[in-house]
Amino acid sequence: MSRTVHAPTGLFDSRHYGFAQVAIVPTRLGDAVHVSGQVAWDADRNVVGAGDIRLQLKKSLENLAAALASVGAKLCDVGALRLYIRQSHMHESSAITGALKAAFGENPPCATWIGVSSLANEAFLIEIEPSVVFIDRE
């Protein structure tokens, strides 16, 4: 059994930087889908929603949905979500909460909010990382 990787349509192809956007690892329980942390980049690595954490989280969730869809999974398959939030924007909980509710409705995943001093790009205010998602083998 070995890992396979995906470069989903709509996300930038990160393999040139030494990591995959999506990796699938076969297990006895089905395929374990791992997704890299998602940020507010479009496919051309332009920041969406500069300075606006709600818009950045919305785009990050859209990117996560695209990554999951590339392997037949959906946002509702995510059991837990880690949110890495620039410390300077931790106070914007209502914007963060609003974006999460818009994406997940009344059936949200577990979440951990982690305040960080910086992210990979100075313009990023938030990055999200889902737990492993298991899908049935076809």
Side-chain angles (χ1 to χ4, degrees):
M1 295 187 171
S2 65
R3 174 182 57 240
T4 58
V5 299
H6 287 261
T9 302
L11 301 182
F12 86 99
D13 188 348
S14 59
R15 294 174 296 176
H16 305 292
Y17 299 95
F19 69 97
Q21 291 289 350
V22 178
I24 300 173
V25 180
T27 75
R28 293 177 314 190
L29 303 173
D31 289 336
V33 178
H34 299 267
V35 178
S36 286
Q38 295 299 307
V39 294
W41 259 348
D42 65 15
D44 297 318
R45 295 180 43 212
N46 297 307
V47 175
V48 175
D52 186 326
I53 197 164
R54 183 187 63 77
L55 290 177
Q56 285 199 17
L57 179 51
K58 180 178 184 279
K59 179 59 177 169
S60 299
L61 289 163
E62 289 170 1
N63 288 346
L64 175 56
L68 292 170
S70 76
V71 294
K74 300 176 184 172
L75 284 177
C76 63
D77 297 320
V78 174
L81 197 59
R82 283 170 296 287
L83 292 87
Y84 300 95
I85 305 163
R86 289 264 306 268
Q87 194 67 44
S88 58
H89 288 75
M90 286 295 288
H91 68 280
E92 296 189 51
S93 60
S94 61
I96 296 166
T97 299
L100 290 171
K101 285 184 175 184
F104 294 105
E106 295 301 317
N107 191 26
C110 298
T112 300
W113 295 23
I114 304 162
V116 296
S117 60
S118 65
L119 292 163
N121 181 307
E122 188 62 31
F124 296 152
L125 304 177
I126 192 163
E127 181 170 342
I128 59 172
E129 181 184 29
S131 60
V132 175
V133 171
F134 288 90
I135 56 175
D136 292 329
R137 284 194 195 97
E138 296 182 22

